[in-house]
Each structure stands twice: as C-alpha cells, then as structure tokens.
Amino acid sequence: MKERLTFNAGVRECRTPRRGTSTSGGPVPGPVVQPQAGGRAKTPARRTAWRSKVESKDWGWFGLIGFTAVLFLRPQDQFPPLAVLHLAEMFAIVGLVGMILARTGRGLPPMPFTPEIGGLAAFGAAMLVGIPFSFWPGGSFNTFFDIYIKVFVIVVLMIDRLDRTERIDRFTTLIVLCSAFVATRSLFDYMRGIHLVEGGRLAGAVGGILGNPNDLALNMVVFLPFALAAAFKPGPAPRR
C-alpha cells in the first residue's frame, strides 16, 4: 500500500502540464510556427527589419548626388520635356527633407550649425537688409531668393552629408566625370564650329553654370587638380 501511494505520487509530479501553463503555474510560450514552403512568415521581427532597411536610406545623400549630376549634365537641355520636372529643385528638396528627417530622428537640430554656415547666414542677412537701399531693389530681391537661398541650402546639405572620406571621394569623382563629359563635348563642338560666341570663344555644351565661356573655363581649371589626383591614385590603370 505504501509502495502504491509512493508510485502514484510520482506519477502526479510527472504529469504533463496543460497547454499554456507551466509546472509552476505560469504561462509557457506557444509553439514556433514555421513558414510554409514558398511563403513568408509575417512576423514583427521581419516587419521591423524591413522598416529599418527603408529608414536606413540616406535620402539627403541621394538628393545631393542627384542635384550635382543634374547641375552639371543638364539633361533637360537634350530632352526639353524634362524641363517641366525641375529636376535640380526636386533633388534639392529630396536632399533637404531627407537631411532634416535623419537629423531629427537622431535627436539633433534640423540643420547643422557650423562657423561656415554662420558666416554664410550673416552674409545673407546683410544682403537682405541692404535690399531696400539697393539701386535695383526688385533685382536684388530676385537674386537673393533665386540664387543665394539655393546656394545656402546646397552648402548646408554638403556640410551635413559629406561627413566621411569615402563620400568626399565619391562626390569629387562625380564632379570630375561630369566635367570631363562637358569638356569632351565642348571640344568636339569647337572643332565643328558650334557654340562659339564673341568672335570664336567656346561656350559650354550645356547651359546653366557652364554655358558662359568664363564659367566653363573656371570650372575646368578648378577641377583639373582633382582629375590629376584621380589619375595618379594607386590602382588599376584602366580605372584611373
């Protein structure tokens, strides 16, 4: 009798707990559901990973690169229907909004403030104060909002997004390639006798900042050292 009671007691202690409870009375985790063949398990972890991947896109950097390429190459000159899209403004807005969202998401101010930005802002304030006293207030007003504001936004975006050596290298490489493309086209235009102004001076093959002969020459001279540095950089000869 004593042995029977002892045996029954051992059975009660080893009894399988009910689903959803443990031997101590607490809940136990449910079974892991494996995804079916050919399907995807819609788990919170997968959704979180997808959201993190989307948020990791640096739209400020992409906007800066797109703006720079459009500024130098001006595809709207070759394909006039693209002019209605205002590609340069569109990329600038994408970059500015991406920068603000990235900074505020990290608990930082919407815009970086450095001594360079402070000096540029003070220069703009002086321009704004002097507009009513200028010889041509209307033209000064248009210059301030059409040129200065755009330059200020791009400079701020460059200061914030060009935060690594790799990005500075990619940025200068893009400018060198764009300048080489414009220079090559301009050379062929000169040999064919087109885009010549003021008695044979060569204008740029594209408009904008490279349309004027002086601006074209200035940009070619400014970025020639970067091209030479890339040519003498260690690495495969075809790439250089």
Side-chain angles (χ1 to χ4, degrees), residues 196-220:
L196 300 180
V197 298
E198 301 176 359
R201 298 185 67 196
L202 175 63
V206 297
I209 63 174
L210 300 177
N212 184 276
N214 295 330
D215 295 334
L216 175 65
L218 175 63
N219 281 273
M220 296 299 105

Side-chain angles (χ1 to χ4, degrees), residues 69-231:
V70 171
L71 183 67
F72 279 88
L73 300 179
R74 294 184 61 86
Q76 63 271 22
D77 291 351
Q78 306 300 322
F79 305 98
L82 294 177
V84 299
L85 299 178
H86 300 282
L87 294 176
E89 289 81 357
M90 181 183 67
F91 279 114
I93 293 174
V94 169
L96 182 63
V97 174
M99 179 194 71
I100 294 175
L101 294 179
R103 290 182 60 85
T104 55
R106 300 195 305 266
L108 299 174
M111 186 184 72
F113 188 83
T114 64
E116 296 80 8
I117 294 178
L120 191 59
F123 180 74
M127 293 176 58
L128 192 61
V129 171
I131 287 178
F133 308 99
S134 64
F135 179 78
W136 185 19
S140 301
F141 181 85
N142 293 333
T143 300
F144 179 82
F145 284 96
D146 290 344
I147 298 179
Y148 171 79
I149 292 298
K150 296 178 181 179
V151 172
F152 181 81
V153 169
I154 295 303
V155 169
V156 171
L157 189 58
M158 290 174 60
I159 291 176
D160 184 74
R161 294 294 89 192
L162 296 179
D163 54 353
R164 295 192 292 271
T165 305
E166 295 80 6
R167 286 190 172 182
I168 296 176
D169 183 65
R170 293 176 184 176
F171 186 72
T172 54
T173 300
L174 173 64
I175 295 179
V176 167
L177 291 177
C178 292
S179 300
F181 172 77
V182 174
T184 303
R185 284 197 54 188
S186 300
L187 180 61
F188 281 103
D189 290 345
Y190 183 79
M191 291 188 295
R192 293 186 298 169
I194 61 176
H195 290 156
L196 300 180
V197 298
E198 301 176 359
R201 298 185 67 196
L202 175 63
V206 297
I209 63 174
L210 300 177
N212 184 276
N214 295 330
D215 295 334
L216 175 65
L218 175 63
N219 281 273
M220 296 299 105
V221 171
V222 167
F223 291 105
L224 182 59
F226 294 94
L228 294 176

